[in-house]
Amino acid sequence: MGAKQSKDFAKEELKKQVKKTGNAPSKEEELSSAERIRKHIIVRFGYTVLSLAMRGMANAPEELWELTELDKLNLSLNCLSTLPPAVGGLENLVVLNLWGNQLTSLPPEIGQLKNLRVLFAYKNLLTEVPEELSACSRLEVLSLAHNHITCLPDSFTSLVSLKKLNLSHNCIDHIPACVYRLKNLVFLHLACNRLENIADQIEHLVNLKIFIVEGNHIHSLPKTLCFLTSLELLNVDFNDIQNVPVQFYLLRKLKRLACHPLDQGLHIVHNPLLKPLAEVLDGGLNALFNYLRST
């Protein structure tokens, strides 16, 4: 927030005080801007939490970056186009929520948030991600969906704690090489990009349980995908797949053909599957697995 937004914030607090007591606060009761913001902090499940969501802010208040005690900060659904370098001073942050803004970039200083575990930056205008984010080695959940990202820095291999990565609805034409080295991933969402293939290196993601690549231009699935025996949900709907690897029956945890987007199992509708595969699938997933075993 610039000066105008800071004043607006103060006016809002003044209105609340007048409504509550019928009187404006005395000079002794007046607080600094940072202290006014602190009044919105709550402690929830042991975390110090501040939400400034849906306030129409074009800039975050300068005083916000003084609140180094914060564990969780929610700045979602505003009109932020930038974050200042000062965000790196919030060294205790565990969760940073930036979704639904107009951010075109993230500052390099975000890499100073060494305790960060969750970063939501989806539905912004990001075209790239700073290499410095890879210094957040405790990061477990990262959502960059609904942006304009084309690739990720190679340094992302340092995100050894990352378990959930959402890159859906971007402009990615191949899965970044660094993603294949994130061996602790259990959730990988790449729907609605420009992917044409999945590299053999997918086999390295041995802990993957949910893999979503619907709405791309994928022509075939690598046989190494079949080594991901922990997969419980595989969504390849709306691609250009004509066949599946013979080893597909190894994916026993898929259990069934899925219909609803959130259902566990195999999602493979709206693909130009060849006969007899398309006909076999009419009998369900077990019929497919039995057919593949016999070939």
Side-chain angles (χ1 to χ4, degrees), residues 197-200 202-203 211 213 218-228 231 234 236 240-252 254 266-268 271 273-274 277 280-281 285 287-295:
N197 60 70
I198 299 169
D200 287 341
I202 192 70
E203 66 180 328
F211 185 34
V213 287
I218 297 169
H219 302 291
S220 62
L221 300 175
K223 68 178 181 180
T224 54
L225 178 66
C226 305
F227 302 149
L228 304 184
L231 273 182
L234 173 61
V236 295
D240 300 319
I241 297 167
Q242 295 184 335
N243 214 329
V244 297
V246 172
Q247 299 87 349
F248 212 64
Y249 66 85
L250 296 173
L251 301 176
R252 298 183 184 91
L254 291 181
L266 174 63
H267 301 248
I268 197 169
N271 281 282
L273 295 171
L274 298 175
L277 189 64
V280 170
L281 274 170
L285 191 58
L288 172 64
F289 286 173
N290 290 333
Y291 169 76
L292 294 173
R293 284 192 191 97
S294 66
T295 56

Side-chain angles (χ1 to χ4, degrees), residues 83 98 103-110 119 121 126 128-130 132-133 142 144:
L83 276 183
L98 302 170
L103 296 171
T104 56
S105 64
L106 297 174
E109 289 78 9
I110 202 166
L119 174 59
L126 301 175
E128 59 182 7
V129 186
E132 290 80 2
L133 183 59
L142 175 60
L144 298 167

Side-chain angles (χ1 to χ4, degrees), residues 155-188:
S155 59
F156 264 41
T157 55
S158 300
L159 296 176
V160 294
S161 300
L162 198 63
K163 295 179 180 178
K164 297 183 179 182
L165 176 59
N166 191 340
L167 294 168
S168 63
H169 296 86
N170 276 287
C171 304
I172 299 169
D173 58 17
H174 66 277
I175 298 176
C178 60
V179 171
Y180 294 120
R181 299 174 66 182
L182 300 174
K183 295 184 179 180
N184 286 315
L185 281 182
V186 297
F187 175 97
L188 178 57

Side-chain angles (χ1 to χ4, degrees), residues 36-81:
R36 285 194 192 98
I37 299 174
R38 273 195 176 92
K39 291 175 67 178
H40 292 264
I41 291 176
I42 62 173
V43 177
R44 181 178 295 162
F45 302 113
Y47 290 102
T48 304
V49 181
L50 174 63
S51 178
L52 296 178
M54 296 187 292
R55 289 181 174 269
M57 297 186 300
N59 297 284
E62 294 178 8
E63 299 83 6
L64 171 61
W65 316 116
E66 299 173 22
L67 308 182
T68 55
E69 70 270 29
L70 290 178
D71 296 313
K72 298 184 178 183
L73 175 60
N74 186 352
L75 293 171
S76 65
L77 293 167
N78 281 291
C79 304
L80 305 178
S81 58

